[in-house]
Amino acid sequence: MGLTIAQKIIKEHLVSGEMKVGEEIALRIDQTLTQDATGTMAYLEFESIGIERVRTKLSVAYIDHNTLQSGFENADDHRYIQSVAKKYGIRFSRPGNGICHQVHLERFGVPGMTLIGSDSHTPTAGGIGMLAMGAGGLDVAVAMGGGAYYITMPKMYKVNLTGKLRPWVSAKDVSLEILRILSVKGGVGAIIEWGGEGIKTLSVPERATITNMGTELGATTSIFPSDEITREFLKAQGREDAFVALESDPDAVYDRVIDINLSELEPLLACPHSPDNIKTARELSNVKVDQVCIGSCTNSSLRDMLRVAKMLKGKKIDDSVSMSVSPGSKQVLSMLADCGALSDILASGARVLECACGPCIGMGFSPNSAGVSLRTFNRNFEGRSGTKDGQVYLVSPEVAVASALTGYITDPRTLGDYVDIEMPDAFKIDDSAVLMPADPEEANSIEVLRGPNIKPFPETKPLENRIQANLTLKVGDNITTDHIMPAGAKILPYRSNIPYLSKFCFAVCDETFAQRAKEAEKSIIVGGSNYGQGSSREHAALVPLYLGVKAVVAKSFARIHAANLINAGILPLTFANPDDYDKCTQNTALSLENVYEGMKKGEIIMKNGNEDIKLVCNYTKRQIDILMAGGLLAYTKGE
Ligand code: MIC
Ligand code: SF4
């Protein structure tokens, strides 16, 4: 039987386990990346594992999420990451150099290699045929130390593209179309391979937009073949030597095949507050727009920015619209400046922000009250923009600019002739904002610089056999890690201060939760399906751990969050009968019985008053050992 692209890479990196869907497999990891918002914690964990130097082929620490440095906390964390990187053999991408996924694609990604990153959009590198996955910080720390990365062997989905995108329709519309077809949970447990004749019409940045947003499907990752288009891209980046060709075997078997005819797509939007709430631009043309943001790891490539500049050239955005443009990297910004496109953007009335995540993670540029914000980003969860009642729509750069010009949601096809752009043959290479680590001989003398905002890792305790706890919070379906542990300008500087962060846990759903959980001492949370979708932030597990959460009982879980819960020593459990969700009432006492035996059997009984509710778990021996030890850190140190 032939293999898919992902299966080929998995086979080559398999450390243990069998490549059977649903089985746990361990993979050798070639490269890692971190960003600052998850990085501080990941490096604290790496230090506590006690390894002298990273054992990967390449590890990069990016500063891109919180670059404001308003107050010492954030600035201290940057210095901490810079000093750790220098000491332990990690490259350090300075603030301003760009968004981790964009820079990694440009400068470091290699087809056929494995990459894990402490950020859920790490699959962006799948655009050049890398097996790239988002992971919790602790998993990345272990991989930096040479440890394997454990996942459940995914199913294989294939999306077959035919045709060619029509003018004004773009890669973002392909992402939105697949979200319309599959929904935010449709990719859970699967790797999505993109193929078919249609991919020959898509450049690497367009492919990367598509793999980037595969995260919103809940997929383990997404991947394109590595072909002549990939070679051209790497060559233009001065990295042709990194090229290897990669394709699936003609007789590869897929669990599901989805056909999309590119020629039939039209400009789409994801409406508030979910990336799969899809409508056409045509349908929404009477919606007034207050704000437009262009950028994020989904749509900040040179290609996207040149198109934006060309559309804006000689025009003015509507007076009622506030617009920002954040180029994805220093390379993009500096090439825009060199060719004059930056002036066209500025002359239109748009503001140019730093090459960073910025508004995407609520770091400024929040919409006005109940404001309609069109963003070329990948997430429009409630409150994420920093404005609780902000109405965020996800769009392509084409829809974004067309709407900024008119002040209303606008189908760009109504604007007239298509503006084509020409891509340069070569990118401008300047890696001076990526600092190299010290030589191993020097490393000992390098001091790690720790600021006072760094607080110790929450205390973990070995698992109890009988867990009596209060059902402190009951939530619905599709709860995101942004609900569990919000981000944004007020909170992000405290990612290395779990006690402080804990005050904001679940604040979007229930502002009293943190206080109530502390008072209860031991809590169980009950959730619906796809619990923990979205970001990879392990803080969404570490903060509940700090607040005494012992288990989360849900209808189903998102992949990275379930792994983060286990890493934190919290039990993720699912209802054997999803209807039992309705029997659970907030603020009642629950008890998990005979947990040790139950974990082995895959079945734990939860006492809810006089009733027994059957819960299931499918832990591997390794996961049971981690939970018994009180989390991955304790387990790794005790190994
Ligand atoms: C996000 O897009 O939500 C983030 C911020 O990039 C997160 C990481 C984090 O919370 O630090 C992610 O996607 O993993
Ligand atoms: Fe940054 Fe937004 Fe991408 Fe997350 S989704 S890495 S916050 S740009």
Side-chain angles (χ1 to χ4, degrees):
M1 193 177 77
L3 297 179
T4 69
I5 300 171
Q7 285 167 340
K8 288 185 186 185
I9 304 177
I10 291 173
K11 193 171 168 202
E12 215 161 273
H13 291 82
L14 197 65
V15 176
S16 66
E18 251 190 276
M19 286 174 55
K20 271 200 203 143
V21 175
E23 298 277 304
E24 186 177 69
I25 53 168
L27 297 175
R28 183 168 43 78
I29 296 302
D30 298 317
Q31 297 190 351
T32 63
L33 71 80
T34 56
Q35 39 89 339
D36 48 308
T38 52
T40 317
M41 195 50 80
Y43 293 114
L44 287 168
E45 289 158 345
F46 177 77
E47 282 191 289
S48 102
I49 296 172
I51 283 166
E52 278 179 15
R53 206 167 170 86
V54 288
R55 296 187 181 147
T56 47
K57 291 191 177 131
L58 175 93
S59 288
V60 190
Y62 293 92
I63 305 290
D64 57 355
H65 275 59
N66 185 1
T67 50
L68 290 186
Q69 301 179 335
S70 61
F72 68 91
E73 295 90 350
N74 188 208
D76 281 0
D77 281 358
H78 294 174
R79 267 186 7 140
Y80 165 72
I81 295 177
Q82 181 167 352
S83 62
V84 164
K86 188 162 186 191
K87 188 174 180 75
Y88 293 104
I90 300 151
R91 295 190 201 192
F92 177 75
S93 173
R94 305 179 97 152
N97 190 44
I99 306 175
C100 53
H101 310 304
Q102 176 64 26
V103 178
H104 211 84
L105 188 77
E106 291 169 357
R107 307 303 308 141
F108 301 116
V110 178
M113 281 199 185
T114 51
L115 162 72
I116 64 167
S118 59
D119 192 280
S120 66
H121 289 102
T122 305
T124 313
I128 53 168
M130 218 178 173
L131 190 77
M133 290 164 287
L138 193 44
D139 282 323
V140 176
V142 169
M144 285 191 286
Y149 178 52
Y150 290 81
I151 56 167
T152 306
M153 181 68 196
K155 292 178 277 190
M156 300 289 144
Y157 288 2
K158 174 147 189 199
V159 186
N160 233 339
L161 295 180
T162 51
K164 185 176 184 317
L165 292 171
R166 290 179 291 175
W168 299 114
V169 187
S170 75
K172 182 59 157 282
D173 299 310
V174 182
S175 293
L176 297 176
E177 173 67 3
I178 190 75
L179 273 153
R180 189 185 66 73
I181 299 172
L182 286 178
S183 89
V184 290
K185 37 184 195 208
V188 175
I191 292 184
I192 302 184
E193 181 181 312
W194 292 76
E197 278 300 297
I199 63 163
K200 295 193 186 137
T201 66
L202 297 174
S203 63
V204 163
E206 291 171 295
R207 295 174 179 191
T209 293
I210 294 171
T211 51
N212 172 283
M213 267 194 95
T215 299
E216 277 49 65
L217 300 164
T220 303
T221 189
S222 304
I223 194 163
F224 273 81
S226 172
D227 57 10
E228 281 312 304
I229 292 171
T230 322
R231 185 205 290 275
E232 282 309 310
F233 174 81
L234 290 171
K235 188 170 163 207
Q237 289 286 355
R239 305 202 290 121
E240 197 180 356
D241 54 347
F243 175 76
V244 284
L246 261 180
E247 58 181 357
S248 54
D249 292 329
D251 55 344
V253 178
Y254 297 90
D255 298 275
R256 181 164 177 190
V257 178
I258 296 160
D259 293 306
I260 296 181
N261 183 348
L262 296 173
S263 319
E264 285 172 2
L265 296 185
E266 65 173 299
L268 300 172
L269 296 92
C271 303
H273 297 288
S274 182
D276 60 359
N277 189 7
I278 307 294
K279 292 218 164 80
T280 63
R282 255 183 317 134
E283 283 172 88
L284 297 169
S285 60
N286 53 0
V287 177
K288 178 76 197 82
V289 173
D290 299 296
Q291 188 192 58
V292 167
C293 304
I294 294 184
S296 93
C297 53
T298 317
N299 279 118
S300 60
S301 65
L302 181 65
R303 192 184 185 86
D304 284 331
M305 293 293 156
L306 286 176
R307 166 105 54 231
V308 166
K310 193 87 178 265
M311 285 179 74
L312 289 173
K313 192 178 169 79
K315 303 207 172 108
K316 288 266 179 264
I317 58 168
D318 192 77
D319 285 355
S320 65
V321 175
S322 161
M323 176 172 175
S324 73
V325 177
S326 329
S329 68
K330 194 175 92 163
Q331 182 184 73
V332 174
L333 178 57
S334 130
M335 289 181 77
L336 286 176
D338 289 353
C339 72
L342 189 59
S343 308
D344 296 333
I345 296 175
L346 288 169
S348 74
R351 286 165 62 182
V352 174
L353 307 183
E354 204 175 5
C355 305
C357 300
C360 180
I361 187 59
M363 298 305 295
F365 220 75
S366 299
N368 51 292
S369 293
V372 169
S373 179
L374 263 54
R375 303 179 159 211
T376 67
F377 305 168
N378 47 38
R379 288 185 173 146
N380 57 350
F381 306 145
E382 194 178 0
R384 180 175 161 103
S385 64
T387 302
K388 195 152 192 270
D389 59 359
Q391 303 295 309
V392 177
Y393 292 75
L394 306 176
V395 298
S396 66
E398 288 80 352
V399 171
V401 177
S403 308
L405 292 172
T406 62
Y408 286 85
I409 290 183
T410 301
D411 184 329
R413 293 174 300 176
T414 59
L415 288 187
D417 286 347
Y418 186 52
V419 294
D420 219 350
I421 50 147
E422 238 174 77
M423 283 297 288
D425 292 336
F427 292 94
K428 187 171 168 183
I429 314 297
D430 170 10
D431 290 330
S432 57
V434 180
L435 307 182
M436 295 301 281
D439 292 334
E441 311 79 65
E442 257 183 81
N444 264 346
S445 61
I446 291 166
E447 193 198 341
V448 172
L449 305 169
R450 269 171 246 277
N453 187 38
I454 294 181
K455 298 284 182 263
F457 193 82
E459 198 193 338
T460 58
K461 293 191 192 112
L463 192 70
E464 292 174 317
N465 193 31
R466 179 163 195 239
I467 301 174
Q468 289 180 290
N470 190 41
L471 198 177
T472 317
L473 187 71
K474 183 176 175 186
V475 285
D477 288 344
N478 292 323
I479 285 294
T480 71
T481 47
D482 276 81
H483 290 106
I484 307 170
M485 195 53 251
K490 290 194 202 107
I491 313 179
L492 219 51
Y494 298 95
R495 281 286 181 94
S496 49
N497 185 343
I498 299 290
Y500 183 84
L501 278 186
S502 71
K503 297 182 193 157
F504 303 93
C505 188
F506 272 113
V508 189
C509 307
D510 178 350
E511 278 177 352
T512 66
F513 169 74
Q515 188 57 30
R516 290 190 297 106
K518 259 193 137 168
E519 278 162 17
E521 286 177 17
K522 285 184 195 175
S523 292
I524 292 178
I525 292 173
V526 167
S529 56
N530 202 23
Y531 181 89
Q533 66 157 331
S535 148
S536 67
R537 59 190 74 149
E538 60 187 334
H539 303 75
L542 296 178
V543 168
L545 165 70
Y546 175 80
L547 290 173
V549 174
K550 301 291 171 196
V552 180
V553 179
K555 291 185 189 169
S556 67
F557 287 89
R559 177 186 73 93
I560 305 176
H561 187 60
N564 284 342
L565 287 173
I566 293 177
N567 287 352
I570 298 175
L571 295 164
L573 297 163
T574 37
F575 291 104
N577 175 2
D579 293 342
D580 286 343
Y581 168 87
D582 298 325
K583 294 182 184 156
C584 301
T585 317
Q586 191 166 305
N587 291 330
T588 48
L590 299 173
S591 171
L592 298 170
E593 305 291 326
N594 212 355
V595 173
Y596 299 166
E597 267 309 301
M599 288 196 297
K600 288 187 203 146
K601 277 204 326 224
E603 191 181 301
I604 291 179
I605 299 299
M606 178 166 79
K607 289 214 170 295
N608 177 28
N610 293 330
E611 203 164 14
D612 283 359
I613 294 184
K614 202 206 279 179
L615 305 176
V616 286
C617 52
N618 191 11
Y619 307 142
T620 61
K621 156 102 181 50
R622 180 185 144 270
Q623 288 172 326
I624 294 175
D625 291 345
I626 292 173
L627 286 163
M628 291 295 285
L632 182 59
L633 205 52
Y635 167 82
T636 309
K637 284 204 247 174
E639 249 182 342

